[in-house]
């Protein structure tokens, strides 16, 4: 199994080392195994979770919801709760997307109006 140093994990995930530590400290990311020397050794499993956490953050999920999702991921019998949390977030993303599309349409209308003047 491949393992990665915090610096390698930061580079691969797009998160800073400080964010990785913060996510672990806050329970968003489960405790990361350590080498015999005490250094964190991230695996592909942690990288996969980080990739999804990045998606959630980039779509506006608040840290407290990320924390809840991270906690749920550490509980085997929590799939229904994970589904509910992700469905709620998906609905929020849909609303945000609809708002942005409406704003894009308004912008296109204003551009068309300006272009018609010239």
């Amino acid at each position: 199994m491949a393992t990665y140093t915090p610096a390698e994990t930061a580079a691969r995930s797009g998160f800073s080392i400080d964010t990785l530590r913060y996510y672990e400290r806050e329970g968003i990311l489960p405790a990361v195994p350590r080498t015999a020397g005490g250094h964190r050794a991230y695996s592909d499993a942690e990288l996969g979770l980080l990739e999804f956490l990045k998606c959630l953050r980039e779509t506006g999920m608040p840290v407290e919801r990320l924390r809840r999702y991270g906690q749920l991921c550490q509980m085997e019998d929590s799939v229904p709760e994970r589904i509910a949390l992700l469905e709620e977030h998906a609905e929020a993303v849909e609303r945000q997307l609809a708002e942005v599309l409406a704003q894009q349409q308004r912008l296109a209308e204003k551009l068309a109006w300006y272009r018609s003047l010239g």
Side-chain angles (χ1 to χ4, degrees):
M1 173 176 75
T3 60
Y4 309 95
T5 66
E8 291 169 329
T9 302
R12 288 174 179 259
S13 69
F15 287 114
S16 69
I17 292 174
D18 288 338
T19 299
L20 295 175
R21 288 183 186 134
Y22 173 78
Y23 278 13
E24 186 179 357
R25 187 173 58 249
E26 292 296 315
I28 296 167
L29 190 63
V32 176
R34 296 189 180 244
T35 65
H39 300 285
R40 287 175 176 83
Y42 294 85
S43 70
D44 289 325
E46 281 92 20
L47 281 174
L49 178 55
L50 285 166
E51 180 183 342
F52 189 60
L53 291 173
K54 187 171 186 95
C55 169
L56 294 175
R57 269 312 275 155
E58 289 177 347
T59 56
M61 182 177 275
V63 171
E64 61 271 6
R65 304 284 288 171
L66 277 178
R67 184 179 300 114
R68 181 66 182 141
Y69 180 75
Q71 292 167 345
L72 289 171
C73 286
Q74 296 177 51
M75 301 166 26
E76 290 183 25
D77 60 345
S78 67
V79 170
E81 291 92 343
R82 287 184 239 176
I83 290 170
L85 188 146
L86 293 176
E87 283 176 341
E88 288 175 18
H89 185 64
E91 290 170 7
V93 170
E94 286 287 333
R95 285 190 301 276
Q96 291 171 350
L97 181 58
E99 291 170 9
V100 169
L101 290 172
Q103 293 164 349
Q104 180 187 38
Q105 179 61 37
R106 179 70 178 113
L107 179 60
E109 291 167 1
K110 186 57 107 177
L111 282 168
W113 183 78
Y114 279 125
R115 289 181 177 131
S116 73
L117 297 177

